[in-house]
Amino acid sequence: MKDLLTNISDSLQTGDYEDIAGLVQKALDSGLEPKSILNDGLLHGMSVIGKQFANHDVFLPDVLMAAKAMHAGLDVLKPLLSGEDTGIIGTVVIGTVKGDLHDIGKNLVSIMLHGAGFEIVDLGKDVPAETFVDAAIKHNASIIGLSALLTTTMPEMKKVIAMVHERGLSDKIRVIVGGAPVSETFATEIGADGYAHDAARAVTLVKQLAEVH
Ligand code: B1M
């Protein structure tokens, strides 16, 4: 018999968004850790789909269904991943850059940062550079978090950083970047204040930059 995590991964791959919440709940009830359900179930399935998509074994509608299933599964895990609200220790403006509609990773980063006690202003996806900067000013945020999943939208990150500098805000606002095609080297090249490979490391980075320990 297949185990629950394999069932969750398989359901994500087949875009079974109606059943996946029940499977995730069943896994929680059986005592599995939320992080294991996320990493070994949902994210495992998404990584398989990503490779199949790259090889043209599945197509865009399949990926859309998988994303829908991912959101349904994440909805169940969200309160458990974000944990107890420890009180607001800083504000982070976050979003996926202009031209880019991938928001699953950005949502995970938001959930984890919220759980670590940060107020999150989530601007969503396809966000123009000036919207990030305007929101950071409006909400008195010390960090802007940028996500990009396409090599073609990575240059948008540089635009946000340039705008922060142009408006003389670089000593008040730190810009961090992340997303599958983004690297430490790229972050340094564009003058970002930090890069995080995943959501957990984004929390450590934001805490360092916001000087919260
Ligand atoms: Co698209 N897509 N997609 N896609 N998609 C990729 C990214 C791709 C790599 C697939 C492939 O070819 N193998 C490829 C990009 C190739 C490239 O640029 N070189 C691609 C493509 C080509 C496209 C389209 C152009 C396809 C088309 O139309 N022909 C199109 C573009 C649309 C657009 O954005 N304008 C497109 C569309 C879509 C869907 C809408 C169908 C869907 C997105 C749905 C959604 O997000 N709501 C989708 C999906 C799901 C994927 C894959 C399969 C999975 C992405 C994902 O959610 N991963 C992806 C393949 C892949 O990445 N392997 C692919 C899970 C997520 C948790 O990981 O987002 O990496 P990730 O986030 C991680 C870290 O990166 C990091 O932490 C997260 C959690 O640990 N992180 C940060 C992310 N943001 C961060 C910010 C930080 C710090 C860390 O600080 C602020």
Side-chain angles (χ1 to χ4, degrees):
M1 199 181 79
K2 280 191 282 183
D3 67 20
L4 275 167
L5 293 174
T6 309
N7 279 341
I8 291 169
S9 172
D10 288 351
S11 286
L12 189 127
Q13 291 168 48
T14 50
D16 203 352
Y17 64 90
E18 281 172 339
D19 289 342
I20 205 156
L23 283 174
V24 170
Q25 190 57 55
K26 205 168 154 188
L28 287 170
D29 294 344
S30 78
L32 284 166
E33 289 291 324
K35 273 188 187 159
S36 166
I37 300 171
L38 175 68
N39 291 325
D40 306 326
L42 296 171
L43 289 179
H44 176 269
M46 189 55 97
S47 138
V48 174
I49 277 285
K51 285 179 194 136
Q52 290 174 340
F53 185 50
N55 293 334
H56 308 289
D57 293 332
V58 298
F59 301 98
L60 203 54
D62 306 297
V63 186
L64 267 174
M65 295 299 279
K68 201 167 172 181
M70 172 67 106
H71 281 125
L74 270 184
D75 279 348
V76 181
L77 291 182
K78 190 173 172 178
L80 300 156
L81 289 172
S82 77
E84 287 295 304
D85 195 344
T86 50
I88 302 306
I89 53 176
T91 301
V92 179
V93 164
I94 193 164
T96 307
V97 297
K98 189 176 170 191
D100 201 321
L101 303 177
H102 297 83
D103 64 356
I104 294 170
K106 180 267 297 169
N107 291 345
L108 268 178
V109 174
S110 298
I111 290 170
M112 303 288 269
L113 283 173
H114 179 69
F118 289 91
E119 170 101 49
I120 303 300
V121 180
D122 189 340
L123 302 175
K125 52 199 172 188
D126 192 16
V127 182
E130 65 177 345
T131 308
F132 281 108
V133 182
D134 290 347
I137 295 167
K138 182 176 168 199
H139 297 280
N140 202 18
S142 57
I143 311 273
I144 294 177
L146 305 174
S147 182
L149 263 289
L150 297 173
T151 44
T152 49
T153 57
M154 286 165 64
E156 281 295 319
M157 294 176 149
K158 196 174 175 178
K159 286 191 191 165
V160 179
I161 293 165
M163 201 168 282
V164 167
H165 282 271
E166 275 158 28
R167 296 203 196 171
L169 297 166
S170 49
D171 54 340
K172 293 197 188 85
I173 299 172
R174 304 272 177 266
V175 182
I176 67 159
V177 295
V182 180
S183 65
E184 187 90 59
T185 310
F186 175 76
T188 307
E189 262 169 36
I190 63 170
D193 297 294
Y195 158 77
H197 177 74
D198 57 30
R201 279 177 256 199
V203 171
T204 309
L205 175 65
V206 168
K207 280 184 169 174
Q208 276 165 3
L209 291 172
E211 290 173 25
V212 180
H213 301 288

